[in-house]
Amino acid sequence: GGRAKMGLSYSELPPPPKKDLPLWDVKLAELPKWMARRDVSPTGVYFMFKRAEMKFHNKYVHVKRGGIAPFAMMLTGYCIMSYIWSYDHIKHDMVRKHH
């Protein structure tokens, strides 16, 4: 027995669309054509996010000598989400203190 299987492995993902320019290399005039080549079906979007997750894990998590980067990103994301979730409460406290 090995580890329990969680999600899809990289080899099980459908291949990304044929080699195309990355978004940051696309000129503004070419953006509509570039967007038309994307698979925007729910399945296509799902696999796009799965590929991005695999790239993130391969770059920051599954490394021989990991650094603090993934933990710093998670902590930053948590702080931003906490602020968003409690913004109404913080806003009312600011109004109450200053008026």
Side-chain angles (χ1 to χ4, degrees):
R3 292 183 354 197
K5 187 172 180 178
M6 298 201 46
L8 296 170
S9 70
Y10 199 71
S11 62
E12 294 173 318
L13 291 176
K18 74 176 184 173
K19 197 66 177 165
D20 200 3
L21 286 174
L23 177 60
W24 52 83
D25 290 339
V26 176
K27 293 185 172 73
L28 195 55
E30 299 169 352
L31 191 59
K33 282 196 237 177
W34 185 86
M35 289 294 293
R37 290 191 298 262
R38 304 293 109 195
D39 182 7
V40 293
S41 68
T43 306
V45 172
Y46 170 77
F47 284 120
M48 177 186 65
F49 278 108
K50 290 303 283 182
R51 277 191 294 275
E53 178 188 23
M54 293 299 260
K55 284 181 182 180
F56 174 83
H57 277 266
N58 288 336
K59 186 172 183 178
Y60 294 109
V61 179
H62 302 301
V63 292
K64 288 184 181 180
R65 292 192 50 176
I68 195 168
F71 302 108
M73 285 185 227
M74 287 174 41
L75 180 63
T76 302
Y78 174 75
C79 291
I80 291 169
M81 290 303 296
S82 295
Y83 181 78
I84 291 170
W85 288 331
S86 59
Y87 180 75
D88 286 336
H89 179 71
I90 293 169
K91 184 171 67 171
H92 291 300
D93 282 348
M94 286 189 301
V95 170
R96 207 176 4 223
K97 288 178 185 174
H98 298 292
H99 290 92

